[in-house]
Amino acid sequence: MIPGKRRTAIMSFSVAIFGALMLHSVSSQNEPSITSSDHITLPTDSHSPPFTLQCNLTSAHSMHLESFWMKNGEEISDTRSANRNTEYRLNKPRGDDAGVYMCVYTFELAPPANATIEIKAVPDITGHKRSENKNEGQRAILYCKAVGYPYPIWTWRKLDTGVYMEIDNSSGRFFINNKDNYTELHIANLDIGSDPGEYQCNATNMIGTSAMVSILRVRSHLAPLWPLLGVLAEIIILVVIIVVYEKRKKPDDIQDDDEPAGPMKTNSTNNHKDKNLRQRNTN
């Protein structure tokens, strides 16, 4: 390259960098300045005193319109105001109050600005399937849901000889779906020999851990027929009892056909009467 052209290119590149730095400096100076409360960690015993989140818009180069609060990306109702100093109070902080809070300011001629405050808490499992009853070959679904922040790392374990162990998925029938404060354990093609038992869901974050147990029962394919088989067995037993009773019954008012109804007259008696009758006729 010709030295003159090289010098021109270097100067153009330097001017571009200087311009970008100046633009960034001007933009930074024009950005609103917001002071906010520090991040908060709730006590692990779930007994926290009331506290107030605060934000203050200290400077802005465009006219301020209003402010409001958001939690986990959703606006909190009834928090909009025209105040530069805005507050959000939590009277009874609990695990489900944990999350990411933002105070948001809107302006007439500038994009919105915000500050973030995190409320952290140990995971607290608030719902789970206590038990599941399925037939072998079917699919079982166990779940757990929790409150707390940061979102926990979920793990599932199964009770084996008195100890909760990692689930052996060598059969490829176990599937785990995790999303934030919710988890599901799917077990396909249930095996009556190996799948029944106690399953533990565990939620752990940087603050602490929590766990709950679900019981899975697996029934045989014949389980739906058991009520019908029970009814049939009762009918058979009843029929046998009736037959035996009828065979052993001997009512007193029925006489035996082999016994004579009364005293029978002998032939000699009849002959004697005939002889007397002939003698009277002769006389």
Side-chain angles (χ1 to χ4, degrees):
M1 180 181 291
I2 301 174
K5 291 185 177 181
R6 180 181 299 173
R7 187 180 300 109
T8 302
I10 293 174
M11 290 180 64
S12 299
F13 181 71
S14 300
V15 170
I17 293 177
F18 180 76
L21 291 174
M22 289 297 294
L23 180 61
H24 177 73
S25 176
V26 172
S27 299
S28 299
Q29 292 177 0
N30 290 334
E31 288 182 357
S33 176
I34 303 173
T35 59
S36 62
S37 304
D38 294 332
H39 300 316
I40 299 172
T41 300
L42 298 180
T44 56
D45 59 3
S46 300
H47 296 288
S48 174
F51 58 81
T52 301
L53 306 181
Q54 294 180 327
C55 286
N56 185 26
L57 178 63
T58 57
S59 65
H61 293 275
S62 179
M63 188 173 68
H64 165 243
L65 295 179
E66 63 179 355
S67 62
F68 60 91
W69 287 87
M70 300 182 70
K71 178 189 176 186
N72 297 334
E74 297 183 0
E75 182 178 346
I76 302 174
S77 60
D78 302 326
T79 60
R80 286 185 176 263
S81 71
N83 299 330
R84 296 171 70 94
N85 187 4
T86 180
E87 297 180 348
Y88 183 70
R89 182 173 176 80
L90 293 171
N91 294 317
K92 296 181 179 180
R94 298 177 300 179
D96 55 355
D97 292 317
V100 179
Y101 290 78
M102 286 196 306
C103 55
V104 182
Y105 292 90
T106 60
F107 305 92
E108 185 177 30
L109 300 175
N114 65 75
T116 300
I117 306 171
E118 292 184 357
I119 298 181
K120 301 176 183 179
V122 64
D124 181 18
I125 298 177
T126 57
H128 73 290
K129 182 170 285 187
R130 298 180 181 275
S131 64
E132 176 82 319
N133 301 315
K134 291 291 184 179
N135 296 331
E136 57 181 328
Q138 292 183 332
R139 173 184 288 263
I141 300 177
L142 307 177
Y143 72 88
C144 288
K145 59 181 179 179
V147 296
Y149 185 83
Y151 296 132
I153 298 174
W154 290 100
T155 55
W156 285 88
R157 298 182 176 92
K158 186 176 186 292
L159 186 65
D160 185 7
T161 61
V163 180
Y164 285 101
M165 306 292 292
E166 294 291 337
I167 294 176
D168 179 12
N169 195 24
S170 57
S171 63
R173 298 183 296 107
F174 295 82
F175 305 92
I176 299 176
N177 297 327
N178 299 330
K179 184 179 180 182
D180 298 339
N181 277 334
Y182 182 82
T183 182
E184 284 184 346
L185 171 64
H186 294 244
I187 309 175
N189 192 22
L190 286 172
D191 185 341
I192 195 172
S194 61
D195 292 338
E198 295 185 9
Y199 291 80
Q200 181 194 71
C201 64
N202 182 283
T204 301
N205 67 8
M206 60 188 299
I207 312 299
T209 185
S210 180
M212 283 292 178
V213 173
S214 300
I215 299 175
L216 175 62
R217 301 181 182 91
V218 181
R219 298 171 297 193
S220 168
H221 286 300
L222 298 178
L225 299 177
W226 288 345
L228 178 60
L229 294 176
V231 173
L232 291 177
E234 291 179 358
I235 293 176
I236 293 174
I237 293 173
L238 182 61
V239 170
V240 170
I241 292 175
I242 293 174
V243 170
V244 172
Y245 176 78
E246 290 292 337
K247 285 186 176 182
R248 293 186 177 183
K249 183 175 65 173
K250 292 184 178 180
D252 296 336
D253 56 347
I254 299 179
Q255 295 182 349
D256 193 345
D257 293 339
D258 295 337
E259 296 180 358
M264 295 183 63
K265 296 180 180 180
T266 60
N267 291 334
S268 59
T269 304
N270 292 335
N271 293 336
H272 179 71
K273 288 182 177 180
D274 291 341
K275 182 178 180 180
N276 292 336
L277 180 60
R278 285 196 300 269
Q279 288 178 354
R280 283 196 301 267
N281 291 336
T282 304
N283 295 332

